Amino acid sequence: MPRWLRHLYGRMEIAILDHGLYRPGRLLLVMVGILAVRGLGDDIFAAFSGDRDSMFFPANDRYADFIKVALSYSHIFTETLASKAYLNHWPYIFRLYLLDNPYDLSAHNLSLPDDQADVTNLHLPPFASVLYLSCAHLIAATNPLVAMAVFWGPYLIGGWGVARMARAHFGVSRQCGWFILFAALACYPVLWMLSRGNLAGGYSGLLTLGWLATAVSGRGRWAGWVMLALSVNLRPEPALLVMIELLGSGSLRARFCRMAIPGAMSVALAAIAFPIAHALYPLYTLDNVRRGLRIYHYRYIVSDMGDEWNASLFLWAKGVLMLMDVRPRYNETLAQALELCGSAALLLTVWGAWKRRIALPVLVFLLTALPAMFVPVYSYYHIVAFVAVLALLVADLERNPPRRGDRRLPLLIVTVLVMSPLGGAYSNGLLDSLLMLGGTLYGLAPLARDAFRALGASPISAPVS
C-alpha cells in the first residue's frame, strides 16, 4: 500500500474509533450527511446549468425498468390502445412508454443480425418475466399508478419486515435495527433503484439480506433457502453467497447439502416459472430467450448502451480503448482477460472459505463485490446488493467493537463509499469499481499469502469431514 494511502487510512481509522462512527446511529448520520451534501451540490449546479436530474436517473426515464418493460408486452394492451383509455388517466411519461416503447418484439427484429437488432425484453429470467407480465396485466386492467402502488408498496413493506427479521437474527440493538431499516429503504442505491424502477434488483437485495440473517443465526433455514432461491431467480449474482456455508458447522457433507438445497429450489422455481411465462407471453421460448441474450450482449456490452452508471471494471477497459481511439470499445480478448482475473479471484475466495481462513464479513464482501466488478454491465441500482454487506458489517461491529488494525473497518469504509453518491452518470460507476477493487485486493491479500505458503509447503488437501 502506498505510504500516502496508509497515512490517509490511519487518520480515518483514528477518527472512526475516536468518534464511534462505526456505531449504527452515527453511521446513519454520516450517510445521510453525504446524501444531503451531494443534493445541495446538485441544487447549486442546477441553478447555473438548469440540469436538475444529475443525482438520479433523468426524469424522462423514471420507473422505466419496471413500467416501461411491462408496457412492452404490446399484445396485452390491444384493447387499451383501441379504446384510448390511457389518454385521460395516465401521466404523460407512461403514455410515452406505451406509444413509443423501445423494446422491439417483432418477428422482423428477431430475424436481424445482432448488430442491427433493437433491444428486447427476452433476456429476462422466467420468474422475473412473470413478475413483469403480472404488472402488465394489472396496468391493462387499471393504470400504471395502481401498478406502482401494488409493486412499490411490497418493497417498502418487505424492507421493513426484512429489517426486523435481520435485527432479530443478528441479535443487535434497536438502534442497529433502525440502521438496517435505513439501509433497506432509504440509502442512496435504494432511492436510485426505486426512482429507476429496477424492482427485480431491489426485491433480490431484500431477499438476500433475509437469507443471510438466517444463515448467520442458524435459525429458520428453510425460510432462508426459499428467500435465496427467489432472489437468484431475479438476479443470479446472489447464488455465489452460498459459499458462506463452507464456514458453517457440521461435516463437509452437511455444508454441501446446505449449499445444494437453495440451488435445487432455484432450478425448480425456474422450471415452474418458464411455462407460466410462456403461457402469458407466447414469444417467451428457449430459442427466443437465447436470441434475446445475444441481442442484449451486443447492445449493452459490445456497444455503448450499458456504459452509463456501470460499476463494472469492463467500463474501465472500454475507457482505455476510447482514449486510444480504438473502435469498437469492446475487445473480446480484453473481456476474456478480465473474466479470467475474476474467476481466479473467486477461486481464491472459495479456497479461503474451504480452509476457513477468512472471516464471514470479508467473505460476504468479496462474494458481493466480485460479480459487481466482473459482470460486464452492473448498473448502479444493482448496488442494492451491498445492503446485505453493510447490514452484516454494522451488526458485527456492534456485537464485537473494533480496535486499531481491525480488518473490518476498511471494508466498512469502502462499502459506505460505494453506497454513497460520489459522482455523475459515468464517474460514479468508475469510482465504485475502483473502491470495490481496493476492498477486494485488501480481502484477498492474506488469502494469496496463505495459498502460496500452502503450495510451497504441501499440496492443498480437503478438510476431513
Side-chain angles (χ1 to χ4, degrees):
M1 182 187 294
R3 181 178 298 177
W4 67 269
L5 188 57
R6 189 181 301 113
H7 177 71
L8 175 62
Y9 171 71
R11 298 291 296 271
M12 293 177 69
E13 184 183 63
I14 292 171
I16 290 170
L17 292 175
D18 288 350
H19 299 286
L21 298 182
Y22 61 88
R23 295 172 185 163
R26 297 182 183 185
L27 186 58
L28 189 154
L29 292 177
V30 169
M31 295 185 71
V32 170
I34 295 173
L35 189 63
V37 168
R38 171 66 194 278
L40 177 62
D42 283 350
D43 286 342
I44 294 172
F45 178 78
F48 293 96
S49 68
D51 178 9
R52 307 202 66 85
D53 296 312
S54 52
M55 192 168 178
F56 293 102
F57 212 82
N60 63 353
D61 217 9
R62 292 277 164 86
Y63 321 120
D65 276 8
F66 209 79
I67 301 298
K68 186 190 286 186
V69 174
L71 291 172
S72 68
Y73 299 105
S74 55
H75 67 287
I76 296 174
F77 299 98
T78 304
E79 185 177 338
T80 303
L81 288 165
S83 63
K84 297 186 178 180
Y86 58 90
L87 286 177
N88 298 322
H89 305 290
W90 291 19
Y92 170 75
I93 187 66
F94 300 137
R95 282 182 267 159
L96 182 64
Y97 290 166
L98 178 66
L99 299 174
D100 189 22
N101 199 287
Y103 296 94
D104 189 346
L105 308 176
S106 65
H108 172 70
N109 186 57
L110 294 176
S111 67
L112 292 174
D114 294 349
D115 60 346
Q116 298 178 27
D118 292 324
V119 292
T120 74
N121 57 21
L122 292 166
H123 63 280
L124 297 169
F127 183 66
S129 295
V130 170
L131 198 68
Y132 289 115
L133 285 160
S134 301
C135 180
H137 280 286
L138 182 59
I139 292 174
T142 56
N143 62 65
L145 295 178
V146 172
M148 286 186 67
V150 168
F151 286 94
W152 268 252
Y155 180 87
L156 301 177
I157 296 170
W160 175 80
V162 168
R164 286 189 52 136
M165 175 182 174
R167 182 199 165 198
H169 282 266
F170 288 150
V172 292
S173 67
R174 184 184 297 272
Q175 190 177 49
C176 191
W178 281 111
F179 178 86
I180 295 173
L181 181 64
F182 161 77
L185 296 184
C187 69
Y188 182 61
V190 169
L191 297 177
W192 211 93
M193 176 274 298
L194 291 172
S195 70
R196 175 63 178 167
N198 196 276
L199 290 177
Y203 290 153
S204 178
L206 288 183
L207 291 164
T208 301
L209 173 57
W211 166 79
L212 182 63
T214 65
V216 169
S217 70
R219 305 191 310 270
R221 295 312 311 270
W222 283 99
W225 289 328
V226 170
M227 295 176 82
L228 183 60
L230 291 169
S231 175
V232 169
N233 272 270
L234 292 169
R235 291 288 306 174
E237 294 87 1
L240 294 179
L241 286 169
V242 296
M243 299 299 174
I244 73 170
E245 300 288 1
L246 292 172
L247 298 179
S249 60
S251 67
L252 188 61
R253 180 179 179 179
R255 282 177 272 156
F256 275 131
C257 284
R258 292 198 296 266
M259 294 168 62
I261 289 171
M265 287 181 173
S266 300
V267 173
L269 182 58
I272 293 169
F274 195 94
I276 296 174
H278 175 68
L280 294 172
Y281 182 34
L283 271 178
Y284 196 82
T285 64
L286 283 175
D287 284 341
N288 282 342
V289 168
R290 284 194 288 265
R291 175 72 179 126
L293 287 170
R294 290 200 306 271
I295 294 173
Y296 177 90
H297 180 272
Y298 183 83
R299 285 294 170 193
Y300 287 91
I301 299 173
V302 176
S303 74
D304 305 338
M305 199 168 176
D307 291 353
E308 194 173 23
W309 291 99
N310 188 5
S312 168
L313 289 175
F314 279 73
L315 186 57
W316 281 99
K318 281 187 173 183
V320 170
L321 294 177
M322 180 184 69
L323 291 175
M324 296 170 62
D325 198 25
V326 174
R327 289 283 182 172
R329 295 181 190 175
Y330 176 83
N331 182 279
E332 188 67 33
T333 303
L334 194 56
Q336 290 174 353
L338 284 172
E339 290 169 359
L340 183 62
C341 290
S343 300
L346 179 60
L347 287 174
L348 182 59
T349 301
V350 173
W351 177 84
W354 176 284
K355 303 295 284 186
R356 295 182 173 178
R357 298 186 181 186
I358 186 171
L360 178 62
V362 180
L363 180 58
V364 172
F365 177 89
L366 291 175
L367 293 175
T368 305
L370 285 173
M373 291 188 297
F374 291 102
V375 169
V377 177
Y378 199 87
S379 295
Y380 191 71
Y381 37 74
H382 297 143
I383 296 292
V384 171
F386 276 86
V387 167
V389 181
L390 184 61
L392 178 65
L393 279 168
V394 173
D396 197 60
L397 288 167
E398 183 183 70
R399 290 193 306 267
N400 305 291
R403 298 179 181 178
R404 290 291 300 273
D406 194 306
R407 293 189 61 80
R408 295 170 296 173
L409 288 179
L411 297 182
L412 179 69
I413 293 170
V414 168
T415 303
V416 168
L417 291 177
V418 164
M419 298 181 70
S420 298
L422 302 178
Y426 289 92
S427 57
N428 205 95
L430 293 170
L431 290 170
D432 277 356
S433 60
L434 286 181
L435 286 166
M436 289 186 288
L437 180 61
T440 299
L441 294 175
Y442 176 79
L444 289 177
L447 292 180
R449 287 195 294 267
D450 289 347
F452 280 123
R453 291 193 193 103
L455 287 170
S458 61
I460 298 173
S461 59
V464 179
S465 61

